[in-house]
Amino acid sequence: MALVGCHECDAVVEEPEVPDGGAAICGRCGGTLFRRQRQTVEFTLALAMAAAILFVVANAYPFLSFEMQGQVTQTTLGSGAAALWEQGRYAVAALVFLTTILAPALQIGLLLYVVAPIHFRLRVPGAVIAFRWVERCRPWSMMEVFLIGIMVALVKLADMADILPGLALWAFALLIPILAGTSAFLDREIVWREIGDLE
Ligand SMILES: [Zn+2]
């Protein structure tokens, strides 16, 4: 039997059975021990699908267009990382690729691979490993840091060139709160239980 601690009064109790959408209340102080998200799979699936579409748009369309002395240069997420690589900044290029492309792609892809079959009651191989990797990818997904960096660069470059934000930039900006939303709605306990039920 698992034990849970009360955040309010530090009481340690055996973890009670709680229905989805319910909450466990501390018997000593009345504080909330934990909640079970209602429809966590459906919310997470919907947000992960939206995130997948935005991620494709963020990578397929131009991120920024620069116009300098009549010359227009377009950059995409991938070409930004590639340009850093060509300049010999291998560590920075690898880090940008990992934190803005690879980690979010794995996080979204694996999340879909785990929650979509739960919703449709299908059994898929490797769901346990996939869900573990969703959690492992999360700390490496740092698109908001990248976006702040882009904004700083934009302010500095604004005097030198005309800069037009591309479709990908808007998709990217929207993707950040949606991906945060998948984490907020995701009730790990429920997903683990559902994976166990399907095995
Ligand atoms: Zn308590």
Side-chain angles (χ1 to χ4, degrees), residues 65-78:
S65 304
F66 298 90
E67 194 181 339
M68 212 176 190
Q69 292 158 350
Q71 269 199 320
V72 180
T73 317
Q74 284 192 332
T75 58
T76 62
L77 263 183

Side-chain angles (χ1 to χ4, degrees), residues 5-11 25-33:
C6 173
H7 302 296
E8 304 289 336
C9 71
D10 289 330
I25 305 294
C26 174
R28 188 159 77 184
C29 73
T32 305
L33 292 173

